[in-house]
Amino acid sequence: MLSIKVEFELSSTATAMAVDQTVHGVPPSLSAKVTGSFAYLTIRDRMPIILIKAIDTIHRNKSKFFEEHGEEGISAEKQAISLLSKLRNELQTDKPLLELMDGLPDTESWNQYMQRQQSQLGDQEPVSWFKSPWLYVECYMYRRIQEAVWLNPPINNFDVFNEGKTQSFFESQQAVMALCTYLGDIQRSMEKLSENQLSEYFNKLLQVSLWGNKCDLSISAGQDNSQKTNPIDSLDSLQPFILVDDSNMVWLTLNSSRRLKGTGKKTADRVDIVLDNAGFELVTDLVLADFLVSSGLARQIHFHGKCFPWFVSDVTAKDFQWTIRQTMAANHKWMCKSGFQWQSYLKEGVWCYHDHPFWTQPHEFCDMSADAPDLYATLQEADLVLFKGDLNYRKLTGDRDWGHTVDFCAALRGFEPAPLCSLRTLKANVQVGLQPGQAEKLTSQDPSWMTNGNYAVIQFQIPKLE
């Protein structure tokens, strides 16, 4: 727990600090400066629990490290735990953030970003856990976890979050089977479907992918958050909880491109999906991607995942391949068939998986064109980009204290590589694009509507014409 001294310092800085005042119409970043805010409670309570669980996971694998690597494995285990324990102490006592020392390809970029944060603060105070932007320090914690593991070969490829991700997948088996069966039923009658029926199925699978985002292990601090029931059955009851629903715009974007096939004009060539969580959510994304290809709505799907374990349950290349292998090996006709189809898509290049260091950095997405121009150029090649989940939404909007009625386009601050859609269940206190009075009504009905994961948005934006 924080010391009394630190608690006092935090509460006094909540009103005394003026560094983050709105500049040029851009509101300040959300941070833990305000005692009792969701950012504050996340850093005080949830993030230390995630570190404790990471430490416990490494310790429980001690015998495995010894079997595989002997005394060298035990030494690495102790040192990794020591570094993570030190990190936890730094967080809980609001110490200044430290530069990374692991020499990985992104180390210099991270340290430069810290210098950028410090220059914004000036000489008033150091960049620290409770006084700096929440988005930055939360990302920084996961990067430090990676550093603690990476600095300790031979266990430097160990995923401290793998157990939770695999457990989430297996505990969602009934839901996965139901979803794969539903997809199989659609595909058997695909050629007979009317335009309206195709649109209806698209909307349902888009919503399944949306609500799959509820299965997030970072928001639950690693507690069980799997999908136990058939997701199709609950869509009607969940519909009133979608606060912004631009699904029709997404459909029109895909379908208008599809109609141009064979005319010599631009076709619906490619949809990119910026992934969020492994486990059940990833399966919902794969099912949606399969439908897009098999229906002719898209010719190619590009998936974007993380370079290393991130935010507890985010998808890495290893998670992506593992999920498809598990689906192929399932003792269930439609689940197994889906797995083999997905593997075939990958082999044929219909599906592609990418990762990029930018996804595991703290930048707002409006910085992408300057800080990761190669990734921005890649996204520009897509006909539609789907951004999954809460963290991607926070980065799309800069995780800033926007008014709820601010237009989604304004909050993107020039980030418009292609038509894009955010599929997000709300787990952080930033939300734009609402109607006047909508947020106030929600607050009166459910004060924690922005953070409890019960509400969602499907928000679409198309690039402005030059």
Side-chain angles (χ1 to χ4, degrees), residues 134-182:
W134 169 33
L135 176 64
Y136 169 49
V137 297
E138 192 170 16
C139 290
Y140 173 82
M141 182 190 78
Y142 287 100
R143 182 58 181 83
R144 283 282 300 276
I145 293 172
Q146 170 69 3
E147 179 183 54
V149 176
W150 179 256
L151 285 174
N152 288 288
I155 69 167
N156 52 326
N157 288 318
F158 183 70
D159 181 351
V160 298
F161 304 127
N162 183 64
E163 291 177 4
K165 288 184 280 191
T166 57
Q167 181 181 352
S168 172
F169 176 83
F170 287 125
E171 290 182 349
S172 302
Q173 287 293 283
Q174 293 301 316
V176 173
M177 290 176 190
L179 194 52
C180 290
T181 302
Y182 185 75

Side-chain angles (χ1 to χ4, degrees), residues 153-356:
I155 69 167
N156 52 326
N157 288 318
F158 183 70
D159 181 351
V160 298
F161 304 127
N162 183 64
E163 291 177 4
K165 288 184 280 191
T166 57
Q167 181 181 352
S168 172
F169 176 83
F170 287 125
E171 290 182 349
S172 302
Q173 287 293 283
Q174 293 301 316
V176 173
M177 290 176 190
L179 194 52
C180 290
T181 302
Y182 185 75
L183 176 65
D185 289 342
I186 296 173
Q187 291 174 332
R188 280 186 296 175
S189 59
M190 190 73 79
E191 293 182 3
K192 303 174 187 175
L193 296 180
S194 67
E195 195 80 358
N196 285 342
Q197 288 172 318
L198 195 66
S199 171
E200 183 180 340
Y201 283 129
F202 167 76
N203 281 320
K204 284 187 176 181
L205 290 178
L206 191 73
Q207 287 179 35
V208 169
S209 178
L210 167 70
W211 291 114
N213 185 239
K214 286 171 75 76
C215 302
D216 182 335
L217 293 176
S218 68
I219 197 70
S220 67
Q223 298 296 323
D224 173 37
N225 212 357
S226 54
Q227 175 74 24
K228 300 293 196 300
T229 58
N230 185 336
I232 302 296
D233 294 342
S234 56
L235 291 182
D236 286 344
S237 62
L238 289 171
Q239 185 69 44
F241 294 90
I242 302 178
L243 306 179
V244 179
D245 188 355
D246 292 336
S247 53
N248 192 48
M249 296 294 292
V250 183
W251 166 256
L252 289 173
T253 298
L254 285 172
N255 206 34
S256 62
S257 295
R258 187 174 68 115
R259 288 175 186 276
L260 297 175
K261 281 187 176 181
T263 65
K265 298 179 182 178
K266 189 173 183 288
T267 63
D269 190 48
R270 175 175 144 187
V271 172
D272 283 32
I273 303 178
V274 184
L275 299 167
D276 191 16
N277 298 297
F280 179 72
E281 182 177 0
L282 175 58
V283 175
T284 68
D285 300 334
L286 298 175
V287 166
L288 175 62
D290 192 346
F291 173 80
L292 292 175
V293 170
S294 59
S295 66
L297 285 167
R299 188 182 65 83
Q300 192 176 49
I301 308 291
H302 286 232
F303 297 95
H304 300 268
K306 306 301 192 297
C307 297
F308 56 81
W310 185 251
F311 275 68
V312 184
S313 49
D314 280 23
V315 178
T316 64
K318 182 179 175 183
D319 300 325
F320 190 84
Q321 293 291 350
W322 180 89
T323 301
I324 292 177
R325 287 197 306 271
Q326 290 298 322
T327 309
M328 292 168 65
N331 186 24
H332 181 270
K333 177 184 175 182
W334 294 107
M335 191 171 162
C336 179
K337 187 174 181 180
S338 291
F340 275 94
Q341 180 63 72
W342 301 342
Q343 188 68 15
S344 175
Y345 285 149
L346 287 170
K347 286 182 178 178
E348 295 166 5
V350 176
W351 284 7
C352 306
Y353 177 90
H354 312 270
D355 49 33
H356 190 286

Side-chain angles (χ1 to χ4, degrees), residues 10-21:
L10 292 171
S11 60
S12 65
T13 55
T15 53
M17 307 235 9
V19 177
D20 274 342
Q21 293 302 311

Side-chain angles (χ1 to χ4, degrees), residues 304 354-359 368 372-380 417:
H304 300 268
H354 312 270
D355 49 33
H356 190 286
F358 188 83
W359 301 123
M368 186 188 292
D374 57 330
L375 178 59
Y376 193 81
T378 295
L379 297 183
Q380 285 181 307

Side-chain angles (χ1 to χ4, degrees), residues 83-184:
L83 290 174
L84 290 174
S85 298
K86 178 176 179 290
L87 175 61
R88 178 170 165 249
N89 178 261
E90 291 170 17
L91 186 161
Q92 292 186 299
T93 55
D94 197 30
K95 292 288 192 297
L97 270 55
L98 304 175
E99 289 196 344
L100 297 172
M101 304 293 288
D102 54 17
L104 289 172
D106 65 344
T107 300
E108 184 178 355
S109 173
W110 269 94
N111 291 340
Q112 287 175 350
Y113 195 88
M114 180 187 291
Q115 292 166 10
R116 191 188 304 181
Q117 290 292 318
Q118 188 62 64
S119 67
Q120 291 175 6
L121 287 172
D123 298 327
Q124 298 181 50
E125 60 184 344
V127 175
S128 70
W129 294 91
F130 284 84
K131 301 185 186 75
S132 299
W134 169 33
L135 176 64
Y136 169 49
V137 297
E138 192 170 16
C139 290
Y140 173 82
M141 182 190 78
Y142 287 100
R143 182 58 181 83
R144 283 282 300 276
I145 293 172
Q146 170 69 3
E147 179 183 54
V149 176
W150 179 256
L151 285 174
N152 288 288
I155 69 167
N156 52 326
N157 288 318
F158 183 70
D159 181 351
V160 298
F161 304 127
N162 183 64
E163 291 177 4
K165 288 184 280 191
T166 57
Q167 181 181 352
S168 172
F169 176 83
F170 287 125
E171 290 182 349
S172 302
Q173 287 293 283
Q174 293 301 316
V176 173
M177 290 176 190
L179 194 52
C180 290
T181 302
Y182 185 75
L183 176 65

